Amino acid sequence: MGVTGSPTNINQGTRTKGGIGESTLRPDGILKVTGEFAYSSDMWHEDMLWGHTLRSTVAHAEIVSIDVSEALATSGVYAVLTYDDLPAEMKNYGLEIQDTPVLAHGRVRHHGEPVALVAADHPETARRAAAKIRIDYRELPVVTDEASATAPGAPLIHEGRDDHHIGHVPHPNIVHRQPIVRGDAAAAEARADVIVKGDYYFGMQDQAFLGPESGLAVPAEDGGVDLYVATQWLHSDLRQIAPVLGLPEDKVRMTLSGVGGAFGGREDLSMQIHACLLALRTGKPVKIVYNRFESFFGHVHRHPARLHYEHGATRDGKLTHMKCRIVLDGGAYASASPAVVGNASSLAVGPYVIEDVDIEAIALYTNNPPCGAMRGFGAVQACFAYEAQMDKLAARLDMDPVEFRQLNAMEQGTLLPTGQQVDSPAPVAELLRRVKAMPMPPERQWESAGEHADVRALPGGLSNTTHGEGVVRGVGYAVGLKNVGFSEGFDDYSTARVRMEVIGGEPVATVHTAMAEVGQGGVTVHAQIARTELGVSQVTIHPADTQVGSAGSTSASRQTYVTGGAVKNSCEAVREQVLEMGRRKLGTHHPAWATAELLLEGGKVVTDGGEVLADIADVLEDEAVDIELEWRHRPTEAFDLRTGQGNGHVQYSFAAHRAVVEVDTELGLVKVIELACAQDVGKALNPLSVVGQIQGGTIQGMGIAVMEEIIVDPVTAKVRNPSFTDYLLPTILDTPTIPVDVLELADDHAPYGLRGIGEAPTLSSTPAVLAAIRNATGLELDRTPVRPEHLTGV
C-alpha cells in the first residue's frame, strides 16, 4: 500500500500510542476469526421462546381467509398472530414512507411477505406450526417492469397513495422521479462529432451478509420491551417500532448485538417488530433467527436497473453532452428508493465535466422483492453505464481509454450537473494515472509460475480455473464518483458521550455512541480519536444502545465522518473541562495554566512545548467529566423537482480500478487476476482498516460483475434462487490480488480531513471488470452479471 498526500492537522496528542494515523488492530478481530465472537444469533435467555414468520408463497394475491386454529392447537405453541392481532392503530412502518405492513392485510404484494407469526418452545415446533396455518389466496395480475407498471389499467401496488412524492410522479406505481437538467443537451448534441448510445441492465444483488437477521426481545416489568438486535440504525428502528407496539419510545429499549455484516440490508426492519409483538403477547423472551432461505426474503436488495445513455464528444475528445434515463425497480415497498433515485440521478454523469445534461431517474413500485440500500446506493448502477460509455467513446475516437477519461475528468472547483461546486480535492486524473502505472501481473501465470506451482496460491485462485489455449487476457479501467453522508437536506448528525475519570490511579476514557458496528471498524477509530484528543491509553467503548442520542445509520460512508466527528467534538469538550478543572485546582503556580495552549498526553497535562504541568489523576481525583454532544456536517438542500439543481451532497469520494482478467473464450469462463485500486481517502485514520475496506468493496463490485444476481421469474415474480447454492458469491478462492494505492488529500471541511471510503471501490470495480472482459473478447456486454452464455453465445 502506498500512502501519499498533503498533511492534515492533528492534535499533538497523537504521540499517545494507538492514536489517529496508526494501524491499530480491531478489538473484536481475534474473537471473530476464532469463532468466539457473540453475534445476535448467539443470544440466549432463560425460559426463552422461539419466533417464526410465515411468508406468502405468491407475489400478488388477495388474502381470502386465514385459519390459524390447527397451528394454535399444536403442543408447545404459545401464540399465533396475524394482522388482526396487532395492538396499535399504526400498523405500517417504513424508512421514509410508512407503506410496509407489519403483517399482510387484505393482500400480499411480493413473494415472501410476512403474513403470520408463531411463538413456540422450540424453533422446529414454531416452523411446523406455521406450516399448519391455512391461507386461501386469490392470485392477482403481477406488475414486474415499467411497461406493466405504467400501462393503462395497470394494477396499483398501493391504492390511495398519499405520501409526499405522489404529487410529482406521472403514475402512482412510480415511487419517486428526479430529473437533472443543466444547459441545453439538445443544442449541444449538434456540436458533437461522435455520439454513442447504450442500453444497460444491472442485476439485482443481495447484500449476502454473514449473519442472518436475528434478535431477542425481552418483555419488561414496566410494560415495555428490551430488544437486542443486529441492525444498522438503532434510533431509526426505534422510531418505527414503538408506534406499532403502541408504546412510547422510552418503553422500547434497544441494544446493539453482534452484527455479522450489513451493507445496507439491515437499514430496514426485518424481525424486530415481530419479536417484540410475540414477547409482549406471551410475556416471555422471544428469539428469532432467520435461516439463509428466510434471509433472502427478510431484507431488501440492491435495485436492478435499466439505463439508457447517450454521450457526445468532439473529435479532440471533449465531452459535449449527456442524456440518460435510469429506471430502478423498487419492488413492492418504498424502503430507501427515493434516496436511491436522488443519488442515481445526481451522480449519473460520474466524475466528468459535462456542461449540458438531461437526466431522468425513477423508481418503480412492482410485485418484485423490495429493494433499498446497498453499498453504493444508486451510484453503482449509474457508474456501470457511464463507464461503459466512456470506453465506447474512446474506441470511436481511437483514444486511450484512460487518457480520454483524464481529458474530461472533474477536479476541485468543478460544477456538477446539479449546480453544486466541488469544494474539496477531486483527484480523478491522478487516481487514473496511479492505477495505470501499477505493475502488471504476469501473463499466463500458471506457466510462468512453473509446473510445480500450487494454483491456489496464484491470483484469482481456483475461480473458473481454465488453462486452455483459448485463454485471452483483457485489461479494463474505470473510475467512479460517490457522495458521502446523508443528502438532500437531511439533518445528518451524530451524538457521542465521552466520560473521563481515574480508575486505579490511571485516567480512563469511555466513549458511548449508538453507532452500529457492522464490521467497518468504528469501534477501533473511536478509541483512536479518544487517545488522540485526550492523550490517554485506556479507552473503553460502551455498547451501542438507545440510552444515548442517535448516531444515524451505518451507511453512506458516513460513520467515521459524522460519529467520528461527534466523538472528536465531545473529546475536545472533555479536554477543555479537565484543563479548566486543573486551572482551578493547580494553576496558580504556572503561567501556562492561564493560556489555552495545553494538551493532555500520556496521562499528563502538558504545554504545547511538551512541558509537564500535572498528572491528570491529580486534576480529576475522585471526579469525572461526562459530556454528550451532537455534531453535524454542513447543511445540504433538496434537489429542485423540475431541474435537479441544488447543493444536495456534503462530500464526494473517488476510486479508480484497473482490472486484469483471463477469459476462456471457448468455455465462457472468466478469472479475475487482479483488481488494482487507487483511492483518495482524505486522511487514513487507520491505514490497515482503510485497505481492508477498499479490498472488501472491490470484491463486492467484482461479485456483481461476474456472479451475483437474484433471479426473479418475470411471469410469477417469484424468487428462483434464494440460497447460496444458487446465488453465487465470490469466495477467498475467487479473490484476485488487490494492490491498493491510498492517496491522502485532506478535505478541510471534515474531521481530520478524512473522506468516507467504504462505498467508492464498489462503484468502479464492476465496470472495470466488464471493461476487461470486453477488451479480451470484443463483445459489448451490456449487463451484469456476465455469464458463460454471454461469452460463447450458447
Side-chain angles (χ1 to χ4, degrees), residues 219-240:
E221 292 182 357
D222 65 355
V225 64
D226 294 287
L227 179 61
Y228 304 86
V229 68
T231 183
Q232 286 182 246
W233 189 352
L234 287 166
H235 284 78
S236 176
D237 287 7
L238 175 62
R239 173 181 55 81
Q240 297 172 79

Side-chain angles (χ1 to χ4, degrees), residues 197-202 305-307 309 384-385 388-389 392 782:
K197 299 180 181 180
D199 290 289
Y200 304 95
Y201 174 76
F202 196 98
R306 295 191 179 275
L307 311 96
Y309 267 75
F384 168 66
Q389 290 283 102
K392 283 184 178 181
D782 56 3

Side-chain angles (χ1 to χ4, degrees), residues 228-302:
Y228 304 86
V229 68
T231 183
Q232 286 182 246
W233 189 352
L234 287 166
H235 284 78
S236 176
D237 287 7
L238 175 62
R239 173 181 55 81
Q240 297 172 79
I241 293 168
V244 298
L245 298 181
L247 294 173
E249 289 188 1
D250 61 359
K251 290 286 188 72
V252 181
R253 294 164 290 270
M254 299 186 64
T255 301
L256 186 74
S257 297
V259 182
F263 314 116
R266 300 188 202 268
E267 278 203 21
D268 294 77
L269 298 181
S270 58
M271 46 62 60
Q272 288 94 320
I273 295 175
H274 297 164
C276 290
L277 286 169
L278 291 171
L280 292 170
R281 171 61 70 95
T282 62
K284 291 177 175 290
V286 173
K287 178 177 178 177
I288 294 180
V289 180
Y290 289 174
N291 61 28
R292 187 60 63 183
F293 175 84
E294 293 173 292
S295 183
F296 268 92
F297 297 102
H299 62 260
V300 299
H301 311 288
R302 189 190 297 284

Side-chain angles (χ1 to χ4, degrees), residues 23-39:
S23 290
T24 60
L25 298 179
R26 295 179 59 105
D28 55 356
I30 293 176
L31 294 173
K32 286 182 174 177
V33 298
T34 58
E36 298 178 54
F37 184 80
Y39 290 97

Side-chain angles (χ1 to χ4, degrees), residues 80-138:
V80 179
L81 303 181
T82 66
Y83 178 90
D84 292 334
D85 299 304
L86 299 180
E89 183 177 343
M90 171 62 78
K91 294 178 171 61
N92 285 12
Y93 65 92
L95 287 173
E96 178 188 339
I97 301 171
Q98 286 71 52
D99 62 356
T100 309
V102 173
L103 294 170
H105 175 59
R107 62 171 163 154
V108 294
R109 294 177 174 85
H110 69 92
H111 181 207
E113 181 163 357
V115 180
L117 307 174
V118 177
D121 57 8
H122 191 277
E124 289 307 314
T125 302
R127 291 180 189 279
R128 287 196 300 269
K132 296 177 182 179
I133 297 174
R134 305 301 175 204
I135 305 177
D136 183 11
Y137 291 114
R138 182 180 295 121

